[in-house]
Amino acid sequence: MPIVQKIDCAHCGAPIDFKPGEIVTTCRYCGFTQVIETGQPFTLAHSMFLNEYDDALVESRIREWMRSGFAKPGNLAKASKITERSLTYMPFWILGIEAFSSYKGVFERITPAVVKEGRIEKHYDWLVLARKATQFPTREYDVPLEGKVPYDFRKIEAFAKILNSEVERSEALEKAKQEIEAHHQFLAKQEVDKISEMQTKFELGDAVYLHAPIWFIVYEYKRETFQIILDGATGMVIKGDIPAAKFGLF
Ligand SMILES: [Zn+2]
């Protein structure tokens, strides 16, 4: 178990637990968000998505997911049992970034090979998980940005867990830039086979710190366990493990 440390909420005085590495914390009792090291208020916008799912809705949503799609065993919905479900408000940074790349490369799919140049210009609301060791399929999470509301601690269910941020804005931004650059390289590689030069410039827009309601579900099927990650705002399955279906004559 990691060591839990304590500070007092600078707004209401309630004790706040935090773990080493966490840098921004939100009070459970009054919603005040502060920087742990300084005790000063967090000055950037803090938003959230509202959770629209309860146990029963999660259950029916999961059954529906199990019944749909082709890659799943036919009896998945009937034969599996949900053994764990928990709601966690996960911290994210959403960074508005305009990215411009110009590249030069060699197109080798024709003979003789030719040198090609190109540009990629895109706007992103790039998502970065504000946790370090936590695994989360960030790229598969289609963030329901239109549902964003100011953070309101009264909207957080008593049974839910809230994770604090371990990543500062500047660090999130660096990560976003690297990921966007890699993404643009991937895009450029659709056009040329070898990239010889590539430059990317960024224009930074708004940064939003946000908590999103994420359900972590474990289900059992034929004595094996599988995980599903569900967006509590929209009911979308962000990622779901599927047992390998056995086809054949037996
Ligand atoms: Zn407080």
Side-chain angles (χ1 to χ4, degrees):
M1 280 293 282
I3 312 153
V4 175
Q5 292 169 277
K6 276 187 202 304
I7 45 165
D8 291 337
C9 171
H11 183 250
C12 76
I16 293 179
D17 292 347
F18 68 98
K19 299 190 183 85
E22 295 182 343
I23 54 171
V24 175
T25 182
T26 301
C27 175
R28 218 168 160 126
Y29 305 97
C30 75
F32 185 71
T33 298
Q34 70 188 68
V35 180
I36 290 170
E37 202 183 343
T38 60
Q40 295 301 304
F42 180 74
T43 49
L44 297 166
H46 185 193
S47 303
M48 72 185 297
F49 297 131
L50 300 176
N51 173 51
E52 305 287 353
Y53 281 72
D54 60 13
D55 277 0
L57 285 171
V58 165
E59 176 91 31
S60 65
R61 181 67 195 94
I62 294 300
R63 298 287 167 202
E64 188 188 318
W65 173 81
M66 287 173 166
R67 279 191 299 267
S68 65
F70 299 103
K72 302 185 186 102
N75 66 347
L76 185 61
K78 270 195 183 137
S80 46
K81 196 178 133 199
I82 295 176
T83 53
E84 282 173 43
R85 73 192 97 188
S86 60
L87 174 63
T88 300
Y89 285 80
M90 303 279 288
F92 292 97
W93 287 98
I94 298 176
L95 304 150
I97 296 178
E98 204 80 38
F100 312 88
S101 296
S102 52
Y103 62 87
K104 204 185 248 188
V106 189
F107 188 68
E108 294 170 331
R109 276 163 265 181
I110 50 165
T111 322
V114 290
V115 171
K116 263 174 91 173
E117 283 180 38
R119 286 177 63 77
I120 301 167
E121 275 190 44
K122 279 179 187 288
H123 174 82
Y124 297 101
D125 289 306
W126 200 263
L127 187 71
V128 175
L129 180 67
R131 298 288 292 185
K132 287 186 171 157
T134 312
Q135 296 293 319
F136 189 84
T138 312
R139 296 280 78 82
E140 275 120 292
Y141 176 28
D142 191 6
V143 186
L145 265 184
E146 62 288 351
K148 178 167 77 71
V149 295
Y151 187 85
D152 183 349
F153 71 99
R154 288 162 298 194
K155 300 278 165 59
I156 305 265
E157 299 79 354
F159 63 86
K161 189 169 156 190
I162 308 169
L163 290 181
N164 290 322
S165 174
E166 295 173 331
V167 177
E168 275 183 70
R169 177 177 166 274
S170 57
E171 207 179 338
L173 200 52
E174 278 317 302
K175 189 161 189 234
K177 284 182 185 175
Q178 281 171 20
E179 289 175 353
I180 290 172
E181 200 153 14
H183 176 58
H184 280 194
Q185 267 177 21
F186 169 80
L187 294 177
K189 278 191 179 151
Q190 315 299 306
E191 307 298 324
V192 297
D193 298 296
K194 261 186 212 142
I195 299 171
S196 55
E197 267 175 55
M198 179 150 178
Q199 273 166 342
T200 303
K201 281 186 208 151
F202 301 96
E203 257 172 44
L204 310 178
D206 293 342
V208 176
Y209 178 56
L210 178 143
H211 275 94
I214 307 289
W215 285 88
F216 291 89
I217 293 134
V218 176
Y219 72 92
E220 211 177 276
Y221 176 76
K222 293 189 174 172
R223 292 196 205 147
E224 279 188 81
T225 56
F226 303 89
Q227 200 194 29
I228 297 172
I229 302 174
L230 183 92
D231 177 357
T234 63
M236 288 285 292
V237 170
I238 299 168
K239 197 169 187 186
D241 294 337
I242 301 168
K246 290 193 177 58
F247 297 106
L249 300 169
F250 302 102

